[in-house]
Amino acid sequence: MARFVLSIHCAPSDHDTTQRLVKFAHACLAQGHTIDAIFLYQQGVFHASQHLNLASDELAISALWQTLYEKKINLMLCVTAAEKRGLDITKKGIFSIAGLAEFAMLASDADKWVQFK
Amino acid sequence: MARFVLSIHCAPSDHDTTQRLVKFAHACLAQGHTIDAIFLYQQGVFHASQHLNLASDELAISALWQTLYEKKINLMLCVTAAEKRGLDITKKGIFSIAGLAEFAMLASDADKWVQFK
Amino acid sequence: MSTLHIFSKPISYYATERLANLIQEHDSVLLVGDACYSTYLYRQFSSDLLFLAEDALARGLTINESDNALNYADFVALTLSTSQSITW
Amino acid sequence: MSTLHIFSKPISYYATERLANLIQEHDSVLLVGDACYSTYLYRQFSSDLLFLAEDALARGLTINESDNALNYADFVALTLSTSQSITW
Amino acid sequence: MINVLVLSQHSPFDDMHIRDALDMTLIFAAIEQNISWLFTGPAVLALKKGQHTDPLGLKNYFKSIKTLEIYDVENIYVCEKSLVDFNLAKSDLLINVNVLDFAAQSKLIATQHQVVNL
Amino acid sequence: MINVLVLSQHSPFDDMHIRDALDMTLIFAAIEQNISWLFTGPAVLALKKGQHTDPLGLKNYFKSIKTLEIYDVENIYVCEKSLVDFNLAKSDLLINVNVLDFAAQSKLIATQHQVVNL
């Protein structure tokens, strides 16, 4: 069984990429693989916003991240990327605040790193 | 003398475009023109974030918007674009919350609409 | 030692000439999202294109029996059967 | 009735063929930001390119006397002397 | 009443570009300006028939495109060359559109008061 | 120790792409992995000498690029074709780099454990 890290680089307004990352993550787990971390980097940091307000016919982004959190996946928010982009890191919800070094170490130990953008 | 509206479409992490919009706006005013509104749309809504935390050698984005606010320019934040992207619209600072219709009416009355992206 | 190249947009989004030169014959090319609209334009990168079935179907494309249409389990397996992936 | 076309990135970011066909001879083409690195590549859009002087200088480019180098006052004036602008 | 042109160049699910353009088009129609919408490049794919992105969880905005006429948005233009590039015929499209060559697109742009590229 | 390749394709002031790539490169060097950084397309412009963006208020990250060697980042690669496209010679660049043709770039990619495109 393999160890994955995933990273998301696009804003939550990119619904298509978001749903793809979530499905890929669940498919990994279904095959018995491990996901050591999903890293929110570049515009991807905004996925950790606690203020997403979407209509009911839109992709339920917050609920999708919740499904990954419930599978005990470490959802890591890059703190420097977040601060430069104006995300309120005091309200992080299910996301953990991390430095680039923490993620780079996990990525170095993982078998595969797949980017979503 | 002409009436302008400007719009910004890129995130605050695009420092280059941001400084250009600000300089263009001040140059408009210096020539005696009016700026009826600057509209934050698409990823541009994040300029209204109250949580930008930049190092001192970075572009002072919040201070630049303040200079435009002090010139009494209406800094309009598109509410639907903001909600879809996760911006906290309860903390709007110097920006005013507006619908697309309000901006479209100003754009219809203006002589020129210049986009920054 | 083959690389998985992942594309999610129509080919006009990419530096076609550069990529055509970089992608090797034994590499895998996977089309997802909006890249599925125009799979045929991607033939210059690989004669053996892979694409995500549900993304193609959602976009109104018909899948032929000869097509390499993948589901998510296949996508995961593909990342493991290649040495590394690049999301362009 | 001329249009001002504004570009802020190197030309490879744009659909060159389509734009070359859309831009009219009497239109104005203004290069700002990272478009200033490679002004010569933009000649296919116009024989009379305009660019923002301070953006070009910051990027280490030298400005010749024959160049149409603009400051921000010129940029504002240009938006008024053209009928409409498009930021590509 | 002024002439406003919305320009779309992005592919259908590239961020929210096409949806932002749709919103902008509908708003200008609502405030009774003479609005036009021009699709070029991969944006023409947003007019393609037979798309059902609801199974992916993505909002099916193609339904709203189909209702543009109801909202009195009649000036929908499509770049001829882009249709060819994506192998699309007029009959493959969701709605009735005006197909324009480059010269006609330039003319369309020249008659506008404002052009917004989204 | 694994081989990690950072890929840069964006122009110098397109959002924070190059700076994000610089941060990523430095971090992998700091945790002592075998890091390489490949510049292709407009990204090669980030290596151009004589740029002073401080007057624009933009962070002069070119200074940090110059210090890469101090941080033991020695594997800096540049696409040969992209240098030609932007009319740049090796002597126009801030630092000493390895210029690679397409075959050499493909080989570089093939020897990596992870490739990150920023």
Side-chain angles (χ1 to χ4, degrees):
Chain A
M1 294 298 97
R3 288 170 59 193
F4 283 83
V5 293
L6 312 180
S7 59
I8 185 154
H9 302 260
C10 61
S13 45
D14 185 339
H15 290 191
D16 189 38
T17 304
T18 306
Q19 60 92 23
R20 203 151 39 241
L21 167 112
V22 175
K23 283 180 186 156
F24 185 90
H26 283 296
C28 274
L29 300 180
Q31 289 183 31
H33 304 303
T34 310
I35 300 176
D36 287 341
I38 300 180
F39 194 57
L40 277 51
Y41 197 49
Q42 298 182 315
Q43 307 293 357
V45 297
F46 292 116
H47 284 271
S49 166
Q50 303 301 300
H51 300 281
L52 276 168
N53 190 350
L54 292 159
S56 60
D57 62 344
E58 302 270 5
L59 189 72
I61 294 182
S62 305
L64 290 175
W65 285 109
Q66 184 68 35
T67 65
L68 298 175
Y69 177 72
E70 283 164 8
K71 293 285 176 73
K72 313 248 184 283
I73 299 176
N74 186 8
L75 308 175
M76 295 173 88
L77 169 66
C78 178
V79 60
T80 40
E83 287 184 335
K84 280 179 207 278
R85 286 169 176 83
L87 186 83
D88 180 3
I89 56 166
T90 62
K91 294 187 195 151
K92 59 183 184 54
I94 57 178
F95 298 88
S96 64
I97 309 279
L100 206 48
E102 284 170 75
F103 177 72
M105 280 188 262
L106 290 173
S108 303
D109 284 342
D111 298 301
K112 297 292 165 188
W113 175 359
V114 185
Q115 289 184 284
F116 288 83
K117 51 160 79 179
Chain B
M1 294 297 97
R3 288 170 59 194
F4 283 83
V5 293
L6 312 180
S7 59
I8 186 154
H9 302 260
C10 60
S13 44
D14 185 340
H15 290 190
D16 188 38
T17 304
T18 305
Q19 60 92 22
R20 201 150 43 239
L21 167 113
V22 174
K23 284 180 186 155
F24 184 90
H26 283 295
C28 274
L29 299 180
Q31 289 183 30
H33 305 304
T34 310
I35 299 176
D36 287 341
I38 300 180
F39 194 57
L40 278 50
Y41 197 50
Q42 298 182 315
Q43 308 294 357
V45 297
F46 292 116
H47 284 270
S49 167
Q50 302 301 299
H51 299 281
L52 277 169
N53 190 352
L54 293 159
S56 59
D57 61 346
E58 301 271 3
L59 189 72
I61 295 183
S62 305
L64 289 175
W65 284 110
Q66 184 68 34
T67 64
L68 298 175
Y69 177 71
E70 283 163 9
K71 294 285 176 72
K72 313 249 184 282
I73 299 176
N74 185 6
L75 308 174
M76 296 173 88
L77 169 66
C78 178
V79 60
T80 42
E83 286 185 334
K84 280 178 206 277
R85 286 170 176 83
L87 186 83
D88 181 3
I89 56 166
T90 62
K91 294 187 196 149
K92 58 184 184 53
I94 57 178
F95 298 87
S96 65
I97 308 278
L100 207 48
E102 284 170 75
F103 177 73
M105 281 188 263
L106 290 173
S108 303
D109 285 341
D111 298 302
K112 297 291 165 190
W113 175 359
V114 184
Q115 290 184 283
F116 289 83
K117 52 159 80 180
Chain C
M1 297 293 272
S2 78
T3 302
L4 169 61
H5 301 271
I6 305 171
F7 296 91
S8 63
K9 298 287 182 305
I11 202 163
S12 55
Y13 277 70
Y14 304 101
T16 332
E17 190 203 340
R18 192 153 27 86
L19 287 167
N21 279 295
L22 267 187
I23 297 171
Q24 304 281 86
E25 224 182 281
H26 52 271
D27 284 353
S28 298
V29 173
L30 173 66
L31 308 180
V32 303
D34 285 355
C36 297
Y37 281 115
S38 48
T39 52
Y40 57 97
L41 295 173
Y42 276 97
R43 280 193 205 125
Q44 59 185 297
F45 290 171
S46 169
S47 53
D48 190 32
L49 292 170
L50 309 162
F51 62 89
L52 213 47
E54 64 173 72
D55 285 4
L57 288 171
R59 286 163 179 82
L61 294 125
T62 45
I63 299 179
N64 300 317
E65 247 181 84
S66 60
D67 286 337
N68 287 313
L70 271 52
N71 62 25
Y72 275 92
D74 302 327
F75 184 0
V76 171
L78 183 63
T79 62
L80 291 168
S81 65
T82 45
S83 338
Q84 67 282 115
S85 69
I86 306 179
T87 305
W88 291 102
Chain D
M1 297 292 274
S2 78
T3 301
L4 169 61
H5 301 272
I6 305 171
F7 296 91
S8 62
K9 299 286 183 302
I11 202 164
S12 55
Y13 277 70
Y14 304 101
T16 332
E17 190 203 338
R18 195 154 24 88
L19 287 167
N21 279 295
L22 267 187
I23 297 170
Q24 304 280 86
E25 226 182 280
H26 53 271
D27 284 352
S28 298
V29 173
L30 173 65
L31 308 180
V32 303
D34 285 355
C36 297
Y37 281 114
S38 48
T39 52
Y40 57 97
L41 295 173
Y42 276 96
R43 281 195 205 126
Q44 59 186 296
F45 290 171
S46 169
S47 54
D48 190 32
L49 293 170
L50 310 162
F51 62 89
L52 212 48
E54 65 172 70
D55 285 3
L57 288 172
R59 285 163 181 81
L61 293 124
T62 45
I63 299 180
N64 300 316
E65 248 182 83
S66 59
D67 287 336
N68 287 313
L70 272 53
N71 62 25
Y72 275 92
D74 302 326
F75 184 0
V76 171
L78 183 63
T79 63
L80 291 168
S81 66
T82 46
S83 335
Q84 67 282 118
S85 68
I86 306 179
T87 306
W88 291 102
Chain E
M1 189 159 91
I2 66 159
N3 298 338
V4 181
L5 177 67
V6 172
L7 263 183
S8 284
Q9 300 196 93
H10 289 84
S11 80
F13 293 94
D14 180 357
D15 209 273
M16 293 198 172
H17 286 282
I18 303 289
R19 293 182 47 197
D20 293 336
L22 175 64
D23 289 350
M24 194 65 91
T25 300
L26 289 171
I27 280 287
F28 274 104
I31 63 167
E32 297 186 333
Q33 303 298 339
N34 183 31
I35 186 77
S36 301
W37 189 0
L38 172 61
F39 292 77
T40 73
V44 301
L45 294 162
L47 295 171
K48 189 176 164 289
K49 265 185 199 162
Q51 306 198 57
H52 306 281
T53 48
D54 338 34
L56 299 182
L58 304 177
K59 188 183 162 96
N60 189 338
Y61 69 78
F62 305 106
K63 281 183 205 159
S64 315
I65 287 184
K66 267 166 116 173
T67 63
L68 279 169
E69 255 186 310
I70 302 171
Y71 295 102
D72 288 322
V73 182
E74 280 154 20
N75 306 324
I76 309 289
Y77 299 98
V78 170
C79 167
E80 187 175 39
K81 171 70 165 62
S82 304
L83 284 182
V84 173
D85 286 347
F86 288 101
N87 223 345
L88 292 169
K90 252 188 101 162
S91 58
D92 294 323
L93 306 185
L94 279 175
I95 50 171
N96 189 28
V97 300
N98 303 294
V99 179
L100 304 184
D101 63 14
F102 290 119
Q105 290 173 55
S106 295
K107 209 183 242 174
L108 175 68
I109 290 169
T111 59
Q112 303 301 316
H113 294 102
Q114 318 281 18
V115 181
V116 54
N117 181 19
L118 289 173
Chain F
M1 189 159 92
I2 66 160
N3 298 336
V4 181
L5 176 67
V6 172
L7 264 182
S8 284
Q9 301 195 93
H10 289 85
S11 80
F13 292 94
D14 179 356
D15 209 273
M16 294 200 172
H17 286 282
I18 304 288
R19 294 182 47 197
D20 293 335
L22 174 65
D23 289 351
M24 195 65 90
T25 300
L26 289 171
I27 280 288
F28 274 103
I31 64 167
E32 298 186 333
Q33 303 298 339
N34 183 31
I35 187 77
S36 301
W37 189 0
L38 172 60
F39 291 78
T40 73
V44 301
L45 294 162
L47 296 171
K48 189 177 165 287
K49 266 185 198 162
Q51 306 197 57
H52 306 281
T53 48
D54 336 35
L56 300 182
L58 304 178
K59 187 183 162 94
N60 190 338
Y61 70 76
F62 305 106
K63 281 183 205 159
S64 315
I65 287 184
K66 266 165 115 174
T67 62
L68 279 169
E69 254 185 310
I70 302 172
Y71 294 102
D72 289 323
V73 181
E74 280 153 20
N75 307 324
I76 308 288
Y77 299 98
V78 170
C79 168
E80 185 174 42
K81 170 70 165 61
S82 304
L83 284 183
V84 173
D85 287 347
F86 289 101
N87 224 346
L88 292 169
K90 252 189 101 161
S91 58
D92 295 323
L93 306 185
L94 278 175
I95 51 170
N96 189 29
V97 299
N98 304 294
V99 178
L100 304 183
D101 63 16
F102 289 119
Q105 289 173 54
S106 295
K107 208 183 243 176
L108 175 67
I109 290 169
T111 58
Q112 303 300 316
H113 294 103
Q114 317 282 17
V115 181
V116 53
N117 180 19
L118 290 172

